[in-house]
Amino acid sequence: MAPSVGGDPAAPTDTAASQSAPDGSSKAAIDGAQTSKTSAIASSGKQENGVANGETKASGAEAKKRAKAEKAAKREREKAERAGAGGTAAGPQASEQGGQSSGALKPTQNQQKGQKDRQGEAKAQAQAQTSSKDAKASHKRTGSVSAANAQRPLALRRRPSQSGGQAKESKQIVKEVGLFGHLYNQPRRYTIEGASKAVHPAVLALGLQMSSYTICGSSARCVAMLLAFKKAIEAYSTPKETSLPRHMSSHYLSPQIDFLKTCRPISVSMGNAIRWLKDQIIHIDPDTDDGEAKAELCAGIDQFIRERITVAGSAIAASASTKIKPGDVILTYAKSALVEQTLLRAHEAGTDFRVIVLDSRPLFEGKNLARALARAGLRVQYMLLSAAPHAAKEATTVLLGAHAMMSNGRLCSRVGTAVVAMLAHARAIPVIVCCESVKFTDRVALDSIVQNEIAPSEELLLPSAAAGVADGGSLAKWKETPGLQLLNIMYDVTPAEYIDMVVTEFGFLPPSSVPVVHRISTERDVRT
Amino acid sequence: MPSAIPPPPPSLTTYLRSLEDTPLDKSITTLISLLKRRQIRSSRSCALATTKLLIAVVEAGSPDSSHNTWSSTSALITRIRQVGRKLISAQPKEIVIGNIVRRVLGVIREVADRDSETGNAADLSGSEISGPTSPVTGERSVLPMRLSEFSSRDVLSGRPGTADSIASSTFSAPMAGPPTQQQRPNLMNAPTGTSLFSILQHPQQNPSRSTSSPYATPPAGTQSPALRPSPTSKSTISNAEAGGESLDIKAEVLDGLAELLDELSVVDSQIAESALEHIHSGEVILTHGSSRTVQRFLLTAAGKKRKFTVFVAESYPNDHSATHDTLVNGAQPPVSPDDEGLGGEKGRWRGLTAAGVTVVLVPDMAVFALMPRVNKVLLSPHAVMANGSLLAAAGTEGICLAAKEHRVPVVVLAGVYKLSPVYPFDEEGMVEYGDPSKVVGFAEDGRFVDGVDIVNPLSDFVGAEGVGLYVTNLGGCAPSYLYRVVGDHYRGEDVDLGVEEAGSRV
């Protein structure tokens, strides 16, 4: 059977294989788990191959039929595999193969080859990731990256949602919460597949770290982005017949930013930093030499990080820690690098106080904070948000971090912050927000619905359910239940009247002064 | 049938089943240990178990008597108080246990009142004095006449505000006692001297109590009038036929308790009857956890073709799996009060989504973000206090406060058995704390658990100002009116049972 059938379809199957190779390379995921998966496919392919060899002695037509069936089955499996890996390019390849599936032996061999290629590529990707780990290490130096995550191997960092992320799309019409329909077009990218070639590897790595919450938190993301951009700028060379100020931001930085945006919507601080960076680039003299201009930009970035985030952070910590008095009970929610710094500073200063950390599903960011504080020797209580009234009964001060401060004085922060602020306000406990001015924005917000970020609903599944364990909770079936929707928003907006004070590097402000300070700080940025 | 929080079915069902063939003392100790070990929890399960046990206590008869009878109501009251005290101190934070004990005591006292009245009447009729007027009750005697016309049946048929409600609250002292047709004439026929005498005779009667108030729980017999003869008619028959006073007490009390049991089983469907008065089409409703009362309420509205959206806060970490389960598979029907599940629904209820409701599961922290778009908050508490405050699953206070901030009405669905006559002096003491490993397990993060103090409160105390409306099985009422409903159901002398209860500093 092999010669009779193999000769004719050889050409088309080759194209299929050649197509599957790049396809595979792009889909080859970044961690070891994926590699083992592909090797599993390869071995199953081999098995099938053997079966086909042994039984092809039957009638030609029958063999043809069986081969077709096998091929179809394999296609199905691969499709599922790809959907699982979050790939979107499964469609074209499958349809291509669907046309010419008479070959039984050749295609499987080819495919095997393709899979081996894929395996190799996956390894290469894994190496790329280790290099990105170095980049990560450099982020860590700023101190804003959550420390606990840094030690874990990358393979473990993926969110459980990853596997379901794309499969959801087919049913999204039903699973989108109507009120938040406008927010569902925010992309969440978990692979580097389909990324523009112009995107620098450091930015690629950063994008994935952001979508997997490895780097999480407004300032941490901002610093990490600037550092990645610094790497990208260092690798930049101005094409001929154009100048750096004209070319760089629109043709080189834009794809990087667009890639980051497809990983997770960018934060206000990132937007501010990007605006500042573009402004810097435009103001470079076109006659400046490439190397000199790049060095200037990199120095500028370093200075921005230092001034607007690092020094600003320690200034805020220094002034906010003066608000902590002996015997205080400080209530905080989730994790803010600034709050952590403030508390540690007050502790170092010898103030005797205790901390209640409130936390919530699904990110449990507060655990990291509680752990860090406990390690420093603070007395820490840890509760979930449902216990907020109990915590508020004891608390004397509420310290909150910020995602952004809106121009109308409202605070945009991790969802749940508003509940804490409200409970504290109701009990007349002062609510203090620690926020660098880089997080100020001229946008305004009245509610948490118009502007928000929707995280994949799968993140709300309990860990066991997300892993697909049979008894992993009833929510595992939520997608099959029509009319049941899961809502996983990231932020909420706290009304200005709940906030008593905003601590910035410019000092203590009422929330109503946010637009003024924002104006001053941006004017200063533009001037320099 | 249904109620608040899902009970752990094995323990409650097995307990109810074992009640039949276990000696009484053992049943009492078993329930005490089940309550202590929290193997029976949730208001409804506790109410059911307590009622069944107290029924068994009544059935068993006086410990001193060899005939399984009760020589006097006071002996019965002493016994019930004694068992009740044990149960309450076994789990002081389950307010409902105390409620049920008081309701049972109320039933007994009512029987005692009737008993003594009929006894009085018999003596007096022997003296053949039957003057209807008297200097004291002269003008009032008109009212009792009307009262007997507007007997409790009129109230039950849903005619509110009849004279008896006014009369009973104003003039309850002279005519205290159930306004039944059989007894009322006796009371009225009493001569002047005796009517004054009877005022002095029954000083212990609580003036605020009146079974004929429109807010009193109608006997569940109205649900199935054919099944059960009214206790009063029975009592007259037994009174007339036999002089077996002690048997009479037992039978009457058991009748009253059967009504209480019936009330527990129909309470959710009675609450759900008013669903259409509260849910309009297109409404956005926020609820918390997996209460069966709320599920039933929503299902009833959905069954009447109202389309609405429900946001469900999942109540992590103590009740989230039940919430998830309820949303995906539909609510578990509650354990039936009748051991064999007489006519109870088998299998699960229909899920809300199957009824055409859009259900959105949200984490607890998103309630503030959603509140501006929510039209109504539906809650089902563990217990409701006389002043309109309530005790409910942790997270409720945040929801109520957010609702208040956004001027969203909070509708609380609570059966009358959850209403407690105890005034909450010690709000802190009512809050129960649970297993901290539900927050962070030692197995998952031992070092973290070591260094950090983890707290897991199970309940929240919400003040009356956080609640817009109470919907009980008797209809809706404002939180400020609740004390009156409480007054209708408990006797003043039973409020203090002489045990330390959560929230009360006796």
Side-chain angles (χ1 to χ4, degrees):
Chain A
M1 169 222 153
S4 67
V5 194
D8 163 45
T13 42
D14 272 347
T15 60
S18 65
Q19 206 152 17
S20 80
D23 194 90
S25 75
S26 53
K27 135 179 127 77
I30 29 150
D31 58 340
Q34 206 62 30
T35 319
S36 69
K37 213 184 261 175
T38 37
S39 70
I41 301 176
S43 68
S44 77
K46 245 181 244 167
Q47 243 177 14
E48 242 170 71
N49 203 352
V51 172
N53 268 336
E55 289 176 18
T56 40
K57 301 292 175 273
S59 87
E62 212 176 294
K64 230 180 202 176
K65 223 188 245 169
R66 190 182 303 136
K68 240 180 201 168
E70 271 168 14
K71 197 132 202 307
K74 185 180 298 166
R75 228 179 294 132
E76 280 301 310
R77 204 170 41 235
E78 262 179 44
K79 226 178 182 172
E81 203 78 47
R82 207 153 303 161
T88 42
Q93 199 211 346
S95 63
E96 180 122 354
Q97 284 184 344
Q100 19 74 28
S101 51
S102 40
L105 274 177
K106 261 257 169 98
T108 38
Q109 280 167 352
N110 276 340
Q111 226 144 26
Q112 229 176 295
K113 210 189 281 169
Q115 271 146 4
K116 266 179 198 155
D117 287 353
R118 248 176 264 174
Q119 252 177 292
E121 234 122 12
K123 267 177 207 156
Q125 286 299 327
Q127 276 161 8
Q129 280 302 302
T130 43
S131 75
S132 77
K133 228 188 252 177
D134 301 341
K136 171 92 183 26
S138 68
H139 303 155
K140 210 191 144 196
R141 245 170 267 142
T142 66
S144 332
V145 181
S146 80
N149 278 335
Q151 279 93 30
R152 274 194 278 148
L154 267 170
L156 295 175
R157 278 192 199 128
R158 318 179 83 210
R159 302 290 310 169
S161 53
Q162 250 174 292
S163 50
Q166 298 294 319
K168 184 181 146 204
E169 254 159 31
S170 56
K171 282 184 186 171
Q172 232 176 27
I173 307 103
V174 209
K175 291 303 170 190
E176 280 181 1
V177 179
L179 267 178
F180 292 82
H182 60 286
L183 293 172
Y184 278 93
N185 50 12
Q186 299 162 339
R188 257 312 163 96
R189 181 199 282 275
Y190 299 102
T191 63
I192 54 171
E193 174 194 336
S196 157
K197 275 182 191 141
V199 180
H200 191 270
V203 179
L204 287 179
L206 174 66
L208 298 181
Q209 285 169 329
M210 282 188 185
S211 64
S212 64
Y213 302 110
T214 307
I215 295 182
C216 191
S218 182
S219 4
R221 277 159 72 199
C222 180
V223 170
M225 178 193 73
L226 285 173
L227 290 176
F229 282 178
K230 213 172 103 181
K231 284 222 164 113
I233 288 170
E234 277 163 3
Y236 171 81
S237 62
T238 318
K240 277 178 188 135
E241 290 161 15
T242 182
S243 61
L244 184 139
R246 283 196 188 157
H247 182 263
M248 189 188 248
S249 39
S250 55
H251 294 94
Y252 186 66
L253 275 185
S254 290
Q256 326 272 348
I257 295 164
D258 289 343
F259 174 78
L260 287 183
K261 279 182 182 168
T262 62
C263 292
R264 218 190 125 180
I266 61 169
S267 70
V268 165
S269 54
M270 288 162 82
N272 283 342
I274 289 168
R275 207 168 302 123
W276 166 84
L277 185 60
K278 285 188 172 170
D279 193 66
Q280 292 296 105
I281 293 169
I282 286 167
H283 284 88
I284 288 174
D285 186 356
D287 298 333
T288 328
D289 168 60
D290 243 23
E292 199 179 308
K294 276 154 60 178
E296 194 182 311
L297 276 178
C298 290
I301 289 177
D302 282 340
Q303 194 193 346
F304 184 88
I305 294 176
R306 195 166 53 243
E307 273 186 12
R308 300 298 301 274
I309 295 170
T310 318
V311 176
S314 51
I316 291 169
S319 48
S321 62
T322 61
K323 296 288 162 201
I324 300 177
K325 302 275 178 280
D328 268 0
V329 180
I330 307 294
L331 178 63
T332 182
Y333 176 66
K335 187 202 183 241
S336 155
L338 277 183
V339 170
E340 179 179 344
Q341 222 177 321
T342 305
L343 295 174
L344 290 177
R345 199 168 176 126
H347 181 63
E348 278 159 23
T351 317
D352 178 41
F353 64 102
R354 110 191 138 79
V355 183
I356 303 176
V357 179
L358 289 171
D359 205 358
S360 66
R361 224 157 75 77
L363 290 177
F364 293 114
E365 294 162 294
K367 252 190 208 177
N368 289 336
L369 175 64
R371 191 180 285 119
L373 294 178
R375 202 180 294 143
L378 274 147
R379 280 179 294 153
V380 184
Q381 270 190 320
Y382 178 84
M383 307 181 194
L384 291 178
L385 191 69
S386 57
H390 305 267
K393 262 171 219 155
E394 300 171 39
T396 56
T397 308
V398 176
L399 270 186
L400 295 173
H403 171 76
M405 285 298 299
M406 298 297 177
S407 236
N408 52 347
R410 298 199 168 208
L411 163 72
C412 178
S413 193
R414 179 70 66 235
V415 60
T417 307
V419 177
V420 179
M422 172 186 69
L423 286 165
H425 180 71
R427 292 175 164 80
I429 302 166
V431 177
I432 300 176
V433 176
C434 300
C435 181
E436 303 102 330
S437 65
V438 74
K439 291 176 180 172
F440 288 9
T441 170
D442 48 10
R443 279 188 296 160
V444 290
L446 283 176
D447 59 28
S448 323
I449 297 168
V450 184
Q451 300 165 28
N452 210 323
E453 183 181 340
I454 295 249
S457 311
E458 286 79 8
E459 287 173 9
L460 283 184
L461 302 186
L462 302 172
S464 51
V469 183
D471 60 341
S474 11
L475 218 51
K477 285 189 282 174
W478 77 279
K479 256 186 234 152
E480 287 84 59
T481 313
L484 179 62
Q485 301 164 345
L486 263 59
L487 178 66
N488 187 12
I489 50 175
M490 297 286 286
Y491 301 107
D492 65 9
V493 173
T494 307
E497 57 266 29
Y498 296 163
I499 300 166
D500 295 290
M501 185 162 75
V502 183
V503 186
T504 71
E505 67 263 37
F506 302 110
F508 305 110
L509 308 171
S512 53
S513 298
V514 166
V516 183
V517 170
H518 178 61
R519 209 168 115 172
I520 294 169
S521 65
T522 43
E523 269 172 11
R524 191 192 61 173
D525 276 349
V526 172
R527 255 187 279 116
T528 47
Chain B
M1 359 247 78
S3 173
I5 287 120
S11 39
L12 179 64
T13 33
T14 48
Y15 178 72
L16 291 185
R17 217 165 283 148
S18 73
L19 210 51
E20 296 284 305
D21 42 306
T22 323
L24 181 63
D25 284 340
K26 200 178 165 216
S27 288
I28 295 173
T29 42
T30 314
L31 182 57
I32 286 172
S33 54
L34 283 176
L35 288 172
K36 275 186 176 161
R37 283 188 241 126
R38 305 304 268 135
Q39 279 162 330
I40 292 184
R41 54 189 315 152
S42 97
S43 311
R44 193 178 173 286
S45 309
C46 289
L48 202 54
T50 312
T51 317
K52 290 291 256 185
L53 178 69
L54 293 182
I55 288 177
V57 170
V58 175
E59 271 171 355
S62 161
D64 315 323
S65 146
S66 52
H67 307 292
N68 293 353
T69 53
W70 292 97
S71 51
S72 69
T73 43
S74 60
L76 184 52
I77 286 173
T78 319
R79 173 77 171 141
I80 295 286
R81 280 179 82 109
Q82 175 210 347
V83 175
R85 270 200 291 267
K86 274 190 203 161
L87 294 180
I88 291 169
S89 43
Q91 196 45 259
K93 300 213 166 162
E94 283 292 359
I95 311 277
V96 171
I97 300 173
N99 296 351
I100 294 294
V101 171
R102 291 184 179 98
R103 292 282 294 272
V104 171
L105 287 173
V107 167
I108 299 169
R109 284 184 201 280
E110 197 178 297
V111 171
D113 293 347
R114 249 181 303 171
D115 190 42
S116 59
E117 269 162 27
T118 45
N120 269 346
D123 296 344
L124 295 163
S125 59
S127 62
E128 288 184 45
I129 307 166
S130 57
T133 48
S134 71
V136 180
T137 56
E139 50 182 324
R140 293 179 195 171
S141 62
V142 185
L143 271 170
M145 284 296 277
R146 289 187 57 209
L147 240 187
S148 60
E149 287 157 22
F150 295 111
S151 75
S152 54
R153 265 180 299 149
D154 290 342
V155 180
L156 299 185
S157 63
R159 195 190 299 176
T162 44
D164 50 0
S165 67
I166 309 148
S168 58
S169 51
T170 329
F171 306 119
S172 48
M175 33 170 262
T180 49
Q181 282 165 312
Q182 283 76 26
Q183 286 138 27
R184 192 59 63 193
N186 285 340
L187 189 66
M188 284 178 350
N189 290 342
T192 321
T194 6
S195 112
L196 260 178
F197 174 72
S198 69
I199 295 174
L200 303 169
Q201 235 359 66
H202 309 292
Q204 82 276 19
Q205 279 174 359
N206 179 7
S208 69
R209 183 199 60 92
S210 155
T211 44
S212 62
S213 154
Y215 274 95
T217 309
T222 45
Q223 301 291 321
S224 50
L227 288 179
R228 186 176 289 109
S230 96
T232 39
S233 64
K234 201 183 210 173
S235 77
T236 32
I237 292 162
S238 57
N239 262 351
E241 282 174 0
E245 281 288 305
S246 57
L247 187 81
D248 181 37
I249 290 172
K250 186 173 161 186
E252 291 221 14
V253 168
L254 284 178
D255 266 337
L257 295 190
E259 274 169 23
L260 184 59
L261 208 55
D262 263 15
E263 184 197 324
L264 287 182
S265 69
V266 295
V267 63
D268 281 353
S269 49
Q270 282 178 336
I271 291 176
E273 273 165 24
S274 54
L276 289 184
E277 294 166 25
H278 296 283
I279 297 175
H280 63 71
S281 36
E283 190 149 30
V284 180
I285 292 167
L286 179 83
T287 181
H288 183 241
S290 62
S291 154
R292 281 198 205 90
T293 314
V294 173
Q295 292 287 320
R296 180 81 179 221
F297 195 80
L298 295 172
L299 272 175
T300 309
K304 300 278 164 51
K305 301 276 176 269
R306 299 254 160 116
K307 295 274 174 221
F308 50 94
T309 307
V310 181
F311 285 105
V312 182
E314 60 181 357
S315 184
Y316 190 82
N318 295 310
D319 196 26
H320 63 284
S321 45
T323 310
H324 295 169
D325 192 43
T326 303
L327 293 188
V328 175
N329 302 323
Q332 289 266 17
V335 179
S336 166
D338 309 300
D339 292 351
E340 273 65 59
L342 278 173
E345 298 115 308
K346 293 283 175 206
R348 282 164 173 274
W349 291 355
R350 200 156 60 126
L352 272 179
T353 52
V357 179
T358 309
V359 179
V360 185
L361 179 75
V362 296
D364 303 312
M365 65 268 186
V367 289
F368 191 92
L370 292 172
M371 203 53 91
R373 301 295 177 276
V374 170
N375 301 128
K376 206 161 276 164
V377 176
L378 279 186
L379 293 173
S380 176
H382 293 331
V384 179
M385 305 302 142
N387 65 347
S389 52
L390 61 91
L391 200 64
T396 309
E397 186 173 0
I399 293 176
C400 287
L401 194 52
K404 200 180 158 206
E405 292 286 314
H406 290 100
R407 307 289 189 276
V408 177
V410 175
V411 178
V412 175
L413 311 179
V416 164
Y417 71 95
K418 288 183 180 175
L419 300 188
S420 168
V422 177
Y423 190 87
F425 288 108
D426 178 19
E427 298 168 13
E428 282 282 325
M430 306 176 86
V431 172
E432 191 185 347
Y433 288 83
D435 177 9
S437 73
K438 285 198 169 174
V439 180
V440 185
F442 197 84
E444 36 186 298
D445 204 341
R447 286 179 63 188
F448 181 80
V449 176
D450 250 3
V452 175
D453 180 15
I454 298 167
V455 185
N456 180 18
L458 297 180
S459 43
D460 266 359
F461 184 86
V462 183
E465 66 282 355
V467 181
L469 185 73
Y470 276 99
V471 175
T472 67
N473 39 335
L474 308 172
C477 69
S480 54
Y481 186 73
L482 222 49
Y483 80 98
R484 193 65 208 118
V485 183
V486 167
D488 287 341
H489 286 84
Y490 299 98
R491 304 281 289 244
E493 56 266 47
D494 293 331
V495 170
D496 180 10
L497 289 175
V499 248
E500 185 97 11
E501 275 179 284
S504 68
R505 286 189 178 131
V506 189

